Amino acid sequence: MDIPISHLHHLPMYKIFLLALISRLMSILGKCKASNNSIVPYEFMSLDIVSKLRADHDALKEASSDFGNLIQNPPAAVLYPSSINDIIELVKFSHNCSTPFTIAAKGRGHSARGQAMAQNGVVIEMSSLNNNNDNNRIKVSWDPSIGFYADVGGEQLWIDVLKKTVEQGVAPVSWTDYLYLTVGGTLSNAGISGQTFRYGPQIFNVYEMDVITGKGELMTCSHHVNSELFFGVLGGLGQFGIITRARIALREAPTRVKWMRMIYDDFSAFTKDQEHLISMENGMDYVEGSLILHQQGSANNWRSSFFTPLDQSRIASLSSKFGILYSLEVVKYYDDAKVHTIDMEIEVLLEGMKFVAGLKFKREVSYIDFLNRVRSGELELQSKGEWEVPHPWLNLFVPKSSIMDFNAGVFLDIIHRQNKPSGPILVYPTSRKMFDERMSAVIPEGEEEIFYCVGLLHSSSDEDLDSQNNEILEYCNKFGLKIKQYLPHYKTKQEWKDHFGPNWKTFQERKALFDPKMILSPGQMIFTPNSYS
């Protein structure tokens, strides 16, 4: 029912204020129409949820930007939920409006192009779920059929999942390079790193999820229960539902890490050695390559400081000669039982590799320190005021058959020629067999088993970096390199159709089934009207 104006004098002042806030929200949205004698169509929303909506300057400012620092899209309001029911009620409220407003679930806001924003809609600050839960949103259990697993809230950070699980001697099997991301956020994309070839992306290691659909329905889904929703949500860019719980696969946690880097001056040898390493059945646990550009001035970067000043001097001398060098980073996990044999095992694995003689470097660190290695670089940049800058990142999947052309046209030509200071540039192979084609995540089409993950992780206020990204995409298109964007960003319907290719029809059907009024995740610009310009 609606609350008539004549009844307002019976309400406490704070409730009148809350009703005024939601009325203002509806006015800003211009969507839901109240009747002439009412303040708000209260039948769809409780006073409890109204009290958790904010439209003040600080809340709107925080929700209108992201890690990319490239786009500003203020919402009409921000919801700070204290329970899953708060989110359900918000989504139901929108779904039941004659013209619904959009909703975006925001975790850490680590997107680069406004993907977690909802311009003139409502942003859900998922971290607010932590405020009243006393860390009970990460629970480790064991089942005889699947072994150890963790039930984890979608708002939880992977670093907290790591800390909680290793207390019991177990840990998730797949990681991103940066751990201060939410579980729901990475599962909505894929969750990749140099471990993907061995353990699959993070979406490959999920048993079950609880998801709030665009209809406001809370559904449990898995491979066999509500499977269409399960496969749709994994890699689905937030289009079909909001992940509130994920059941993550765990295994026994290693304690130690042998961490090595080798320097190459030849891209062909660099890629062949990477492909050889990921083909080994019991080989390395992590394989990730990157570029060392002479103009960067240091072989180290904010993602990890590995080389001593003397090492850097030797590498700089070589990079001045070649312009670009290639760094291969490999890791082997082990525990106390292998302390006396691990070095010999690694030497066997690296036998015959073609890195530059004398430029192999080794470190030994704890398992947690390796997985959380990027954090120290982030804190250092924050202390210098160099973290809150634009990040026009471009992430691509490049087929193996195109990687040599990509090196020639992008690394050696566009990037080296333009000589712009930027950030880390990653290039490493992974395997098609580790991706389930039923999931929404997009990888290069065709039968080619190996494709490369390329990350151009720019951190700069130089606006020309976006033009450089466009030049790279144009080069790939012109020469038919058949790339796919990871963490994609497009502005037109045709671009999204091309991105999904033969899976576009399935993606549309899932949207119609689980979010028919196109409420969720408008910042992706897949089903919003302005994406069809």
Side-chain angles (χ1 to χ4, degrees):
M1 67 176 185
D2 295 335
I3 297 180
I5 294 175
S6 60
H7 289 185
L8 282 180
H9 68 277
H10 296 299
L11 294 176
M13 283 303 298
Y14 83 94
K15 291 190 176 181
I16 295 175
F17 171 78
L18 296 176
L19 285 172
L21 173 62
I22 192 60
S23 181
R24 175 176 175 271
L25 169 63
M26 295 299 99
S27 174
I28 292 172
L29 296 171
K31 304 287 186 179
C32 295
K33 298 177 181 178
S35 60
N36 292 333
N37 67 339
S38 68
I39 294 293
V40 62
Y42 178 62
E43 61 204 71
F44 300 128
M45 185 175 287
S46 71
L47 286 172
D48 285 342
I49 200 169
V50 176
S51 69
K52 296 164 189 174
L53 281 165
R54 285 174 53 186
D56 57 275
H57 175 268
D58 289 344
L60 298 184
K61 181 179 179 181
E62 178 68 21
S64 65
S65 62
D66 61 13
F67 173 74
N69 269 316
L70 297 166
I71 293 174
Q72 297 286 322
N73 281 331
V78 182
L79 175 70
Y80 292 82
S82 59
S83 70
I84 302 304
N85 285 336
D86 292 340
I87 303 174
I88 293 172
E89 290 191 31
L90 178 74
V91 178
K92 279 186 177 180
F93 181 70
S94 178
H95 180 73
N96 289 327
C97 284
S98 58
T99 308
F101 54 86
T102 57
I103 296 171
K106 174 179 172 287
R108 283 277 290 180
H110 209 263
S111 55
R113 305 279 176 173
Q115 288 94 331
M117 300 179 196
Q119 187 171 23
N120 294 326
V122 178
V123 168
I124 303 173
E125 185 55 67
M126 296 294 289
S127 63
S128 181
L129 290 171
N130 281 323
N131 294 343
N132 300 307
N133 286 292
D134 300 323
N135 287 327
N136 66 355
R137 298 277 293 159
I138 304 174
K139 297 180 180 178
V140 176
S141 303
W142 184 83
D143 181 273
S145 61
I146 60 176
F148 283 100
Y149 65 87
D151 282 315
V152 180
E155 78 289 345
Q156 295 297 309
L157 299 183
W158 283 103
I159 181 64
D160 294 324
V161 176
L162 173 63
K163 291 176 179 178
K164 184 78 170 182
T165 55
V166 295
E167 289 176 358
Q168 301 188 47
V170 291
V173 299
S174 183
W175 298 98
T176 52
D177 285 330
Y178 178 62
L179 302 186
Y180 287 76
L181 304 171
T182 62
V183 169
T186 64
L187 295 184
S188 295
N189 289 282
I192 63 170
S193 75
Q195 301 173 85
T196 301
F197 79 93
R198 173 74 63 208
Y199 303 107
Q202 290 179 319
I203 57 174
F204 194 70
N205 294 281
V206 180
Y207 294 126
E208 180 181 284
M209 293 182 291
D210 288 341
V211 175
I212 300 171
T213 71
K215 300 176 184 178
E217 300 171 334
L218 180 62
M219 299 177 66
T220 297
C221 56
S222 66
H223 285 78
H224 306 294
V225 177
N226 296 316
S227 59
E228 195 70 22
L229 178 63
F230 180 77
F231 293 120
V233 166
L234 293 172
L237 306 177
Q239 293 302 304
F240 314 117
I242 298 170
I243 300 170
T244 61
R245 177 187 65 91
R247 180 164 291 179
I248 308 296
L250 303 178
R251 66 164 193 168
E252 184 178 352
T255 57
R256 303 187 181 203
V257 169
K258 286 287 186 179
W259 184 9
M260 290 148 287
R261 281 191 176 175
M262 293 149 282
I263 307 300
Y264 292 73
D265 58 20
D266 179 78
F267 188 74
S268 178
F270 170 68
T271 54
K272 286 179 181 177
D273 280 356
Q274 288 195 81
E275 291 164 16
H276 170 66
L277 287 173
I278 72 167
S279 71
M280 294 181 173
E281 187 172 341
N282 296 306
M284 295 296 179
D285 294 290
Y286 174 96
V287 175
E288 192 167 288
S290 60
L291 271 59
I292 299 176
L293 305 177
H294 179 59
Q295 63 263 33
Q296 286 182 337
S298 172
N300 288 324
N301 56 58
W302 60 263
R303 294 180 75 253
S304 64
S305 296
F306 196 92
F307 304 109
T308 68
L310 179 60
D311 296 336
Q312 292 185 64
S313 178
R314 295 166 62 195
I315 295 169
S317 177
L318 193 62
S319 67
S320 67
K321 176 181 177 181
F322 290 94
I324 296 180
L325 297 176
Y326 308 96
S327 172
L328 177 52
E329 187 174 359
V330 300
V331 157
K332 186 69 176 174
Y333 301 146
Y334 70 109
D335 53 30
D336 293 346
K338 287 193 172 183
V339 168
H340 301 297
T341 61
I342 187 66
D343 286 329
M344 184 179 298
E345 181 180 342
I346 288 173
E347 287 305 312
V348 171
L349 294 175
L350 299 182
E351 187 175 356
M353 296 184 64
K354 306 296 184 183
F355 53 86
V356 177
L359 293 183
K360 180 176 73 170
F361 308 91
K362 184 187 299 184
R363 288 175 63 181
E364 183 168 340
V365 297
S366 72
Y367 180 63
I368 292 179
D369 285 346
F370 170 72
L371 291 179
N372 198 31
R373 63 199 177 281
V374 177
R375 179 63 169 173
S376 60
E378 176 191 6
L379 294 176
E380 181 179 353
L381 289 177
Q382 286 179 351
S383 69
K384 297 177 180 178
E386 298 176 3
W387 187 250
E388 302 298 329
V389 299
H391 297 94
W393 285 12
L394 178 64
N395 293 275
L396 305 172
F397 291 151
V398 182
K400 172 186 171 181
S401 59
S402 297
I403 198 63
M404 294 302 294
D405 290 334
F406 191 92
N407 177 60
V410 176
F411 297 152
L412 295 176
D413 184 13
I414 296 174
I415 291 176
H416 184 52
R417 167 172 49 82
Q418 293 185 2
N419 195 29
K420 296 178 183 295
S422 56
I425 298 176
L426 311 180
V427 52
Y428 57 94
T430 194
S431 174
R432 174 180 300 275
K433 67 183 179 183
M434 304 309 295
F435 287 76
D436 190 325
E437 63 182 11
R438 294 171 294 180
M439 297 176 183
S440 294
V442 173
I443 60 176
E445 295 166 21
E447 300 300 321
E448 207 167 344
E449 177 59 35
I450 292 175
F451 62 91
Y452 277 78
C453 306
V454 176
L456 303 159
L457 309 185
H458 304 308
S459 299
S460 173
S461 57
D462 187 346
E463 295 181 0
D464 286 342
L465 284 173
D466 240 0
S467 65
Q468 183 184 86
N469 288 341
N470 292 333
E471 186 176 352
I472 291 169
L473 294 173
E474 288 169 5
Y475 168 83
C476 294
N477 183 58
K478 180 179 179 180
F479 292 96
L481 267 55
K482 306 297 183 185
I483 62 163
K484 291 293 184 182
Q485 284 194 38
Y486 176 62
L487 310 178
H489 170 69
Y490 299 108
K491 295 182 179 179
T492 68
K493 179 180 180 179
Q494 187 57 52
E495 287 176 317
W496 281 111
K497 289 178 68 175
D498 293 342
H499 173 73
F500 286 104
N503 295 324
W504 172 246
K505 182 180 179 183
T506 299
F507 201 81
Q508 282 186 306
E509 290 172 348
R510 287 171 171 170
K511 186 69 170 179
L513 183 60
F514 300 114
D515 184 22
K517 295 191 176 180
M518 302 182 184
I519 291 169
L520 300 176
S521 199
Q524 296 284 358
M525 297 179 66
I526 303 176
F527 295 104
T528 52
N530 59 344
S531 69
Y532 291 0
S533 58

Tab-separated table of all heavy atoms in Angstrom, residues 357-380:
chain	number	residue	atom	x	y	z
A	357	ALA	N	72.218	-15.952	-20.687
A	357	ALA	CA	73.137	-16.579	-19.735
A	357	ALA	C	73.476	-15.625	-18.594
A	357	ALA	O	73.791	-14.453	-18.811
A	357	ALA	CB	74.414	-17.006	-20.450
A	358	GLY	N	73.375	-16.129	-17.380
A	358	GLY	CA	73.718	-15.341	-16.204
A	358	GLY	C	72.596	-14.476	-15.675
A	358	GLY	O	72.763	-13.824	-14.636
A	359	LEU	N	71.454	-14.448	-16.371
A	359	LEU	CA	70.347	-13.594	-15.934
A	359	LEU	C	69.166	-14.441	-15.463
A	359	LEU	O	68.050	-14.344	-15.940
A	359	LEU	CB	69.924	-12.636	-17.056
A	359	LEU	CG	70.969	-11.572	-17.434
A	359	LEU	CD1	70.422	-10.635	-18.498
A	359	LEU	CD2	71.414	-10.781	-16.203
A	360	LYS	N	69.461	-15.306	-14.509
A	360	LYS	CA	68.437	-16.056	-13.797
A	360	LYS	C	68.546	-15.682	-12.319
A	360	LYS	O	69.632	-15.707	-11.736
A	360	LYS	CB	68.615	-17.568	-13.966
A	360	LYS	CG	67.561	-18.378	-13.221
A	360	LYS	CD	67.709	-19.877	-13.484
A	360	LYS	CE	68.912	-20.444	-12.761
A	360	LYS	NZ	68.939	-21.940	-12.821
A	361	PHE	N	67.422	-15.316	-11.721
A	361	PHE	CA	67.420	-14.815	-10.351
A	361	PHE	C	66.421	-15.633	-9.530
A	361	PHE	O	65.380	-16.045	-10.033
A	361	PHE	CB	67.044	-13.336	-10.325
A	361	PHE	CG	67.876	-12.495	-11.265
A	361	PHE	CD1	67.445	-12.271	-12.569
A	361	PHE	CD2	69.082	-11.967	-10.850
A	361	PHE	CE1	68.213	-11.511	-13.444
A	361	PHE	CE2	69.855	-11.202	-11.713
A	361	PHE	CZ	69.434	-10.975	-13.012
A	362	LYS	N	66.761	-15.831	-8.254
A	362	LYS	CA	65.944	-16.715	-7.432
A	362	LYS	C	65.708	-16.087	-6.060
A	362	LYS	O	66.583	-15.458	-5.475
A	362	LYS	CB	66.641	-18.060	-7.258
A	362	LYS	CG	65.855	-19.112	-6.486
A	362	LYS	CD	66.692	-20.354	-6.222
A	362	LYS	CE	67.139	-21.031	-7.508
A	362	LYS	NZ	67.882	-22.296	-7.233
A	363	ARG	N	64.478	-16.278	-5.573
A	363	ARG	CA	64.130	-15.875	-4.220
A	363	ARG	C	63.316	-16.982	-3.571
A	363	ARG	O	62.684	-17.782	-4.262
A	363	ARG	CB	63.299	-14.591	-4.215
A	363	ARG	CG	64.066	-13.350	-4.564
A	363	ARG	CD	63.157	-12.141	-4.649
A	363	ARG	NE	62.528	-11.826	-3.366
A	363	ARG	CZ	61.666	-10.818	-3.204
A	363	ARG	NH1	61.329	-10.057	-4.226
A	363	ARG	NH2	61.146	-10.583	-2.021
A	364	GLU	N	63.319	-17.001	-2.256
A	364	GLU	CA	62.472	-17.925	-1.512
A	364	GLU	C	61.622	-17.109	-0.547
A	364	GLU	O	62.138	-16.316	0.237
A	364	GLU	CB	63.306	-18.950	-0.753
A	364	GLU	CG	62.458	-19.983	-0.027
A	364	GLU	CD	63.283	-21.159	0.492
A	364	GLU	OE1	64.399	-21.365	-0.028
A	364	GLU	OE2	62.798	-21.847	1.389
A	365	VAL	N	60.307	-17.276	-0.634
A	365	VAL	CA	59.385	-16.520	0.216
A	365	VAL	C	58.292	-17.456	0.711
A	365	VAL	O	58.157	-18.590	0.247
A	365	VAL	CB	58.749	-15.331	-0.538
A	365	VAL	CG1	59.805	-14.322	-0.957
A	365	VAL	CG2	57.956	-15.819	-1.752
A	366	SER	N	57.491	-16.961	1.647
A	366	SER	CA	56.353	-17.748	2.111
A	366	SER	C	55.240	-17.720	1.065
A	366	SER	O	55.194	-16.831	0.204
A	366	SER	CB	55.825	-17.203	3.441
A	366	SER	OG	55.149	-15.969	3.233
A	367	TYR	N	54.358	-18.674	1.168
A	367	TYR	CA	53.221	-18.765	0.247
A	367	TYR	C	52.380	-17.491	0.294
A	367	TYR	O	52.025	-16.921	-0.746
A	367	TYR	CB	52.391	-19.986	0.626
A	367	TYR	CG	51.166	-20.238	-0.214
A	367	TYR	CD1	51.267	-20.517	-1.571
A	367	TYR	CD2	49.899	-20.244	0.383
A	367	TYR	CE1	50.132	-20.773	-2.332
A	367	TYR	CE2	48.767	-20.515	-0.366
A	367	TYR	CZ	48.882	-20.775	-1.726
A	367	TYR	OH	47.762	-21.037	-2.469
A	368	ILE	N	52.073	-17.004	1.490
A	368	ILE	CA	51.244	-15.805	1.621
A	368	ILE	C	51.962	-14.584	1.072
A	368	ILE	O	51.365	-13.752	0.390
A	368	ILE	CB	50.835	-15.590	3.097
A	368	ILE	CG1	49.876	-16.699	3.542
A	368	ILE	CG2	50.197	-14.226	3.289
A	368	ILE	CD1	49.436	-16.584	4.989
A	369	ASP	N	53.259	-14.466	1.353
A	369	ASP	CA	54.001	-13.303	0.861
A	369	ASP	C	54.042	-13.268	-0.662
A	369	ASP	O	53.978	-12.189	-1.271
A	369	ASP	CB	55.426	-13.301	1.422
A	369	ASP	CG	55.476	-12.888	2.880
A	369	ASP	OD1	54.462	-12.347	3.376
A	369	ASP	OD2	56.509	-13.107	3.526
A	370	PHE	N	54.149	-14.434	-1.279
A	370	PHE	CA	54.129	-14.429	-2.746
A	370	PHE	C	52.771	-14.009	-3.277
A	370	PHE	O	52.665	-13.139	-4.140
A	370	PHE	CB	54.497	-15.804	-3.307
A	370	PHE	CG	54.256	-15.894	-4.796
A	370	PHE	CD1	55.084	-15.221	-5.684
A	370	PHE	CD2	53.170	-16.607	-5.304
A	370	PHE	CE1	54.849	-15.264	-7.056
A	370	PHE	CE2	52.927	-16.650	-6.657
A	370	PHE	CZ	53.767	-15.984	-7.547
A	371	LEU	N	51.713	-14.619	-2.763
A	371	LEU	CA	50.385	-14.307	-3.277
A	371	LEU	C	50.018	-12.842	-3.053
A	371	LEU	O	49.327	-12.231	-3.879
A	371	LEU	CB	49.339	-15.206	-2.616
A	371	LEU	CG	49.388	-16.693	-2.979
A	371	LEU	CD1	48.313	-17.459	-2.225
A	371	LEU	CD2	49.236	-16.911	-4.481
A	372	ASN	N	50.519	-12.244	-1.986
A	372	ASN	CA	50.172	-10.871	-1.649
A	372	ASN	C	51.281	-9.882	-2.036
A	372	ASN	O	51.377	-8.785	-1.492
A	372	ASN	CB	49.886	-10.760	-0.143
A	372	ASN	CG	49.116	-9.502	0.198
A	372	ASN	OD1	48.323	-9.001	-0.590
A	372	ASN	ND2	49.349	-8.981	1.397
A	373	ARG	N	52.099	-10.245	-3.009
A	373	ARG	CA	53.286	-9.470	-3.365
A	373	ARG	C	52.977	-8.079	-3.914
A	373	ARG	O	53.773	-7.155	-3.781
A	373	ARG	CB	54.120	-10.244	-4.395
A	373	ARG	CG	53.384	-10.485	-5.713
A	373	ARG	CD	54.019	-11.616	-6.517
A	373	ARG	NE	53.287	-11.891	-7.749
A	373	ARG	CZ	52.165	-12.589	-7.808
A	373	ARG	NH1	51.624	-13.063	-6.700
A	373	ARG	NH2	51.555	-12.803	-8.961
A	374	VAL	N	51.810	-7.895	-4.538
A	374	VAL	CA	51.493	-6.610	-5.169
A	374	VAL	C	51.140	-5.543	-4.136
A	374	VAL	O	51.298	-4.353	-4.380
A	374	VAL	CB	50.343	-6.786	-6.189
A	374	VAL	CG1	49.948	-5.452	-6.814
A	374	VAL	CG2	50.758	-7.771	-7.279
A	375	ARG	N	50.708	-5.970	-2.964
A	375	ARG	CA	50.209	-5.026	-1.967
A	375	ARG	C	51.262	-4.002	-1.546
A	375	ARG	O	50.959	-2.812	-1.394
A	375	ARG	CB	49.717	-5.799	-0.752
A	375	ARG	CG	49.195	-4.933	0.386
A	375	ARG	CD	47.983	-4.123	-0.026
A	375	ARG	NE	47.339	-3.509	1.142
A	375	ARG	CZ	46.349	-2.637	1.072
A	375	ARG	NH1	45.889	-2.264	-0.115
A	375	ARG	NH2	45.802	-2.142	2.164
A	376	SER	N	52.502	-4.422	-1.355
A	376	SER	CA	53.540	-3.488	-0.909
A	376	SER	C	53.783	-2.400	-1.942
A	376	SER	O	53.999	-1.236	-1.589
A	376	SER	CB	54.840	-4.241	-0.612
A	376	SER	OG	55.313	-4.912	-1.772
A	377	GLY	N	53.728	-2.773	-3.221
A	377	GLY	CA	53.891	-1.773	-4.265
A	377	GLY	C	52.755	-0.774	-4.280
A	377	GLY	O	52.961	0.430	-4.493
A	378	GLU	N	51.538	-1.270	-4.032
A	378	GLU	CA	50.382	-0.379	-3.962
A	378	GLU	C	50.530	0.622	-2.820
A	378	GLU	O	50.308	1.834	-2.993
A	378	GLU	CB	49.105	-1.198	-3.765
A	378	GLU	CG	47.860	-0.356	-3.581
A	378	GLU	CD	46.656	-1.160	-3.116
A	378	GLU	OE1	46.822	-2.359	-2.829
A	378	GLU	OE2	45.562	-0.581	-3.032
A	379	LEU	N	50.924	0.135	-1.645
A	379	LEU	CA	51.071	1.018	-0.486
A	379	LEU	C	52.157	2.056	-0.709
A	379	LEU	O	52.038	3.212	-0.280
A	379	LEU	CB	51.374	0.184	0.762
A	379	LEU	CG	50.252	-0.746	1.224
A	379	LEU	CD1	50.710	-1.603	2.409
A	379	LEU	CD2	49.003	0.051	1.586
A	380	GLU	N	53.224	1.658	-1.390
A	380	GLU	CA	54.304	2.600	-1.672
A	380	GLU	C	53.821	3.716	-2.593
A	380	GLU	O	54.109	4.897	-2.367
A	380	GLU	CB	55.496	1.877	-2.301
A	380	GLU	CG	56.674	2.806	-2.587
A	380	GLU	CD	57.856	2.067	-3.180
A	380	GLU	OE1	57.821	0.821	-3.247
A	380	GLU	OE2	58.822	2.738	-3.582
